[in-house]
Amino acid sequence: MASDAPAAAGRITPAALLARKGKEPIVCLTAYTYPIARLLDPHVDLLLVGDSVAMVLHGHPNTLGATMDMMVAHGQAVMRGSSRACVVVDMPAGSYEDTVENAVACAQRIMRETGCDAVKLEGGVAIAAQIAAIVAAGIPVMGHIGLLPQSVEKEGGYKIKGRSEANAEALYADARAVEAAGAFSVVIEGTVEPVAAEITRRITIPTVGIGASPACDGQVLVTDDAIGLTVDRVPKFVKEYAHLRDIVADAAAAYAKDVRSRAFPGPEHLFSLTKDKA
Ligand code: KIV
């Protein structure tokens, strides 16, 4: 299926983001739907169609519930709703770890069916061959190191990274592997601040932090967290810029009251026998 999204001509490119290393911070938010993409597009440099969609919109307990079909459908919606931001779509768990061939085929499907600008994969040294092969196929890649949500079951929970010297060294190796494989930038998630800052100093591609460091070359948040729509626990690294939870609940309560009292619909919402506007 071909993408019916606006042409990519006016979009911020992965190459332009790469050139922002050490310069103006890269602004990134997640987007999964057409209306949210439309609202965020004028304000951000990068829209991430994260596999967090499995949790945030579909109610799965973790990101392992994301599928290729899910990522493609949400990627298409975000492309239709945006024309300026660089759009990156997450490769879901199971679509790239096993073989380089499958990784390239799945990345090609995401690009072909969404028309997005790049894909994102979780892991460093362990998936450097997959990143290099996808890049060699002409597809820009964003890396993702530190806390890897797709490894939550393997690791027995969400564990902050970089607290021991050995783990910090492993993260530096991951960052260098992602850079050497040709990624244009890398997300650093859930990593102690000094290590995230040091990774940012050590590599030549932009780092985009989430629960990482203000020294990163950019920041990303899950939009639903940032606008206060998250109904469960809000993570420590999140700053809520609005409280839409309360606004939605208040609106639903007001609507229910109006319906029950027959205050809605009012005369202004009704059609008469004479011709009037819809
Ligand atoms: O899936 C996602 O939303 C992400 C961000 C948290 C970086 O990968």
Side-chain angles (χ1 to χ4, degrees):
M1 198 197 325
S3 164
D4 55 358
R11 288 184 188 276
I12 296 170
T13 62
L17 294 176
L18 173 59
R20 295 260 290 268
K21 175 71 185 178
K23 299 188 182 135
E24 189 196 347
I26 296 168
V27 181
C28 174
L29 281 169
T30 60
Y32 318 124
T33 64
Y34 172 82
I36 289 291
R38 282 195 62 174
L39 289 171
L40 302 185
D41 189 49
H43 304 286
V44 303
D45 302 308
L46 193 155
L47 287 170
L48 173 64
V49 186
D51 59 355
S52 51
V53 67
M55 302 171 73
V56 176
L57 289 197
H58 294 267
H60 287 277
N62 53 49
T63 61
L64 298 176
T67 64
M68 279 291 289
D69 287 348
M70 196 186 276
M71 298 316 300
V72 164
H74 289 288
Q76 289 171 338
V78 169
M79 286 298 289
R80 287 186 202 109
S82 62
S83 57
R84 180 186 163 278
C86 180
V87 175
V88 177
V89 177
D90 261 348
M91 296 189 69
S95 69
Y96 62 90
E97 304 91 327
D98 291 352
T99 69
V100 163
E101 292 73 23
N102 192 44
V104 172
C106 289
Q108 285 171 330
R109 178 180 166 205
I110 290 172
M111 297 298 289
R112 186 176 62 246
E113 295 187 15
T114 68
C116 71
D117 301 288
V119 295
K120 177 166 81 60
L121 291 70
E122 290 185 10
V125 173
I127 57 141
Q130 283 88 329
I131 295 176
I134 296 169
V135 171
I139 299 172
V141 171
M142 186 174 205
H144 185 151
I145 62 171
L147 187 157
L148 305 178
Q150 291 179 6
S151 302
V152 61
E153 286 184 351
K154 221 169 14 195
E155 299 214 345
Y158 296 102
K159 309 263 165 70
I160 298 303
K161 300 296 176 179
R163 289 206 160 116
S164 72
E165 206 166 301
N167 188 234
E169 287 304 326
L171 291 178
Y172 299 141
D174 280 339
R176 275 193 297 265
V178 168
E179 175 189 34
F184 73 90
S185 72
V186 61
V187 168
I188 305 176
E189 179 166 358
T191 296
V192 296
E193 197 280 330
V195 172
E198 182 59 22
I199 292 171
T200 301
R201 276 190 289 276
R202 287 191 187 193
I203 61 175
T204 57
I205 59 174
T207 59
V208 177
I210 175 163
S213 169
C216 288
D217 299 295
Q219 301 294 329
V220 58
L221 280 177
V222 170
T223 295
D224 291 62
D225 289 342
I227 63 178
L229 253 187
T230 301
V231 283
D232 300 320
R233 193 183 71 88
V234 179
K236 172 188 166 75
F237 57 80
V238 169
K239 178 171 175 181
E240 290 190 326
Y241 289 84
H243 298 97
L244 294 201
R245 265 186 309 274
D246 302 339
I247 293 174
V248 171
D250 288 351
Y255 169 72
K257 187 166 169 251
D258 275 2
V259 170
R260 290 185 182 120
S261 67
R262 300 192 189 279
F264 177 82
E268 69 276 28
H269 304 119
L270 306 179
F271 301 105
S272 63
L273 283 173
T274 55
K275 219 172 171 192
D276 46 13
K277 279 201 219 132

